[in-house]
């Protein structure tokens, strides 16, 4: 147990705002990973060559030569190579070893003020609020719902998630793909190639006393947002002022609506609601 753990101290840490970068602390974790379990410097050098897609130097054949070359190679790796190498290392580990690597990675990221974290052996954006409210992977429910006649939409929504979760993220494309996927769901539900999200929204809650009207409008307005965001669904006539957190919200909201519309379409939401008919 560490000194801080024994005495209950916590170390002040910087705000987690940095993206598209790594740090010496993160690289140290990678160095420890490639040289773990008594691996020789030569083995570490060859592993780093693999991760940075470089041919090993044939003249480096002993540990004495490899140690300096391996450290130099680690220093020259791009931040993307570093994160992908750490994911690759995590994929080879199981149980306590993988948990220890992940703990070391996340400690290094936290101390460096970097807004990524490793979860399940893969890097994701650091989202403490999403963890608290258990909304981190609400968008994955949309993917799970895109089956049967909605199978063609899966590829487009998965593209939105890839654009959102990639490093660096492609925020405009994430918004465009998410809303295009939502529009595609509307077309399938309506059975019309030219149907819009508004067509489906207007048919929601046909017998509602009125308090569902704002909800219908909110669903329609999300599509209007994507139309007005420069570079999303139309020409990039201006530099879009869109933050990652905003894009996460839009993609997740689109996913939640996709799940909601498909659930209503299949009648699954009214299994215990006798007398109600939500088919549209």
């Amino acid at each position: 147990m560490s000194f801080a753990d024994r005495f209950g101290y916590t170390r002040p840490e910087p705000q987690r705002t940095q993206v598209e970068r790594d740090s010496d602390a993160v690289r140290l974790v990678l160095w420890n990973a490639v040289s773990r379990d008594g691996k020789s410097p030569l083995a570490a050098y060859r592993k780093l060559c693999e991760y940075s897609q470089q041919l090993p130097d044939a003249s480096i054949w002993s540990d004495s030569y490899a140690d300096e070359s391996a450290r130099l190679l680690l220093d020259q790796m791009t931040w993307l190579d570093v994160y992908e190498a750490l994911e690759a290392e995590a994929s080879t580990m199981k149980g306590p070893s993988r948990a220890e690597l992940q703990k070391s990675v996340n400690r290094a990221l936290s101390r460096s003020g970097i807004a990524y974290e490793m979860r399940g052996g893969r890097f994701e954006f650091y989202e403490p609020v999403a963890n608290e409210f258990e909304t981190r992977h609400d968008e994955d429910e949309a993917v799970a719902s895109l089956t049967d006649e909605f199978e063609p939409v899966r590829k487009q929504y998965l593209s939105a998630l890839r654009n959102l979760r990639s490093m660096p993220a492609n925020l405009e494309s994430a918004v465009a793909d998410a809303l295009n996927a939502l529009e595609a769901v509307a077309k399938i539900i309506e059975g019309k190639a030219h149907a819009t999200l508004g067509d489906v929204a207007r048919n929601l809650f046909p017998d509602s006393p009125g308090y569902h009207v704002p909800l219908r409008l909110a669903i329609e307005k999300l599509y209007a947002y994507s139309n007005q965001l420069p570079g999303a669904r139309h020409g990039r006539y201006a530099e879009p002022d869109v933050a990652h957190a905003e894009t996460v919200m839009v993609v997740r909201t689109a996913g939640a609506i996709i799940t909601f519309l498909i659930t209503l379409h299949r009648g699954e939401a009214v299994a215990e609601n006798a007398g109600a008919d939500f088919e549209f």
Side-chain angles (χ1 to χ4, degrees):
M1 183 179 290
S2 70
F3 173 85
D5 290 336
R6 292 198 309 275
F7 288 90
Y9 295 137
T10 57
R11 181 181 290 101
E13 296 173 346
Q15 285 191 318
R16 305 279 291 271
T17 58
Q18 301 295 318
V19 295
E20 299 181 24
R21 62 176 291 264
D22 66 300
S23 68
D24 288 343
V26 175
R27 291 181 185 236
L28 176 60
V29 176
L30 177 57
W31 174 256
N32 291 335
V34 297
S35 58
R36 72 184 190 280
D37 299 331
K39 288 182 179 177
S40 69
L42 181 59
Y45 167 70
R46 289 172 176 168
K47 181 63 71 171
L48 290 173
C49 283
E50 176 186 338
Y51 289 146
S52 56
Q53 297 186 338
Q54 295 187 29
L55 284 173
D57 189 333
S59 65
I60 299 175
W61 52 271
S62 68
D63 286 343
S64 58
Y65 287 108
D67 185 69
E68 182 179 353
S69 297
R71 294 174 187 275
L72 179 62
L73 186 57
L74 177 67
D75 185 58
Q76 293 173 342
M77 289 175 70
T78 68
W79 67 271
L80 276 173
D81 287 338
V82 169
Y83 287 118
E84 290 180 352
L86 284 166
E87 286 189 349
E89 284 294 307
S91 70
T92 67
M93 301 178 183
K94 294 182 180 180
S97 296
R98 181 169 168 179
E100 186 60 34
L101 173 68
Q102 187 160 287
K103 180 180 178 181
S104 298
V105 167
N106 288 333
R107 184 166 54 239
L109 291 169
S110 177
R111 290 186 179 185
S112 306
I114 298 174
Y116 303 129
E117 64 179 328
M118 180 175 274
R119 296 170 61 90
R122 299 184 64 182
F123 286 103
E124 300 180 2
F125 280 97
Y126 176 66
E127 297 180 89
V129 175
N131 292 340
E132 180 180 353
F133 290 98
E134 299 182 351
T135 60
R136 173 180 288 274
H137 289 306
D138 279 359
E139 61 271 28
D140 294 334
E141 293 186 13
V143 176
S145 71
L146 291 167
T147 58
D148 300 327
E149 70 268 42
F150 298 99
E151 185 72 32
V153 188
R154 280 175 62 90
K155 184 176 181 181
Q156 193 154 44
Y157 193 70
L158 284 171
S159 178
L161 297 183
R162 281 193 297 271
N163 282 318
L164 179 64
R165 295 170 177 171
S166 63
M167 296 182 291
N170 187 334
L171 302 183
E172 298 155 52
S173 293
V175 170
D177 286 335
L179 271 297
N180 284 336
L182 181 53
E183 182 183 48
V185 167
K187 294 179 185 298
I188 294 171
I189 287 174
E190 287 288 295
K192 300 174 182 177
H194 299 291
T196 66
L197 181 59
D199 295 330
V200 173
R202 283 190 290 273
N203 290 327
L204 290 172
F205 316 112
D207 300 321
S208 170
Y211 50 78
H212 282 115
V213 172
L215 179 58
R216 289 198 297 263
L217 292 175
I219 292 173
E220 291 186 63
K221 292 299 182 182
L222 183 64
Y223 196 72
Y225 162 86
S226 70
N227 279 328
Q228 294 182 33
L229 178 68
R233 289 178 47 82
H234 298 291
R236 200 173 191 274
Y237 58 88
E239 188 71 28
D241 183 18
V242 56
H244 180 265
E246 177 181 331
T247 308
V248 170
M249 182 272 293
V250 172
V251 172
R252 283 187 175 149
T253 301
I257 297 172
I258 285 173
T259 303
F260 172 65
L261 294 180
I262 293 176
T263 300
L264 290 184
H265 178 68
R266 291 171 173 165
E268 297 167 4
V270 294
E272 300 178 2
N273 223 352
D277 184 2
F278 286 88
E279 289 191 6
F280 48 90

